[in-house]
Amino acid sequence: MSKAEQVEQVKGWLLGAVTLAEAEFGSGTGRIKLSVVYDSFVQKFPWIAKLLSFEDFSEYVDEALVEMRKLLSTNKAIAAIVGAKDKGEE
């Protein structure tokens, strides 16, 4: 896989990871969510984690958060899932 393809794969995975973390931990828990997502990233992509600085990773997370917020505001199904998990429902 090319570097560009790897970056897109990571960014796609991050969108899902930050959305699940938001659903699980809710708002106001940014450091915890970042830590959980980073730990999952290192397990999922160990070869990329060795090459990607934490600063770059954090930038990718910020981009994923912007995309997640767009999805939550435009996609009722995703918003409902995140809201239900945030309230302990499923």
Side-chain angles (χ1 to χ4, degrees), residues 11-24 33-34 37 57 60-69 82:
K11 286 182 176 183
W13 178 86
L14 275 174
L15 177 58
V18 298
T19 303
L20 291 174
E22 180 67 25
E24 185 173 346
K33 291 184 282 194
L34 179 61
V37 170
F57 176 81
Y60 290 162
V61 168
D62 290 343
E63 291 173 16
L65 288 170
V66 169
E67 184 65 26
M68 179 196 73
R69 288 182 188 114
V82 170

Side-chain angles (χ1 to χ4, degrees), residues 51-83:
L51 303 173
L52 186 67
S53 71
F54 185 76
E55 291 77 23
D56 288 341
F57 176 81
S58 292
E59 286 181 30
Y60 290 162
V61 168
D62 290 343
E63 291 173 16
L65 288 170
V66 169
E67 184 65 26
M68 179 196 73
R69 288 182 188 114
K70 287 179 190 174
L71 282 174
L72 292 176
S73 69
T74 61
N75 188 314
K76 291 180 183 180
I78 293 173
I81 291 168
V82 170

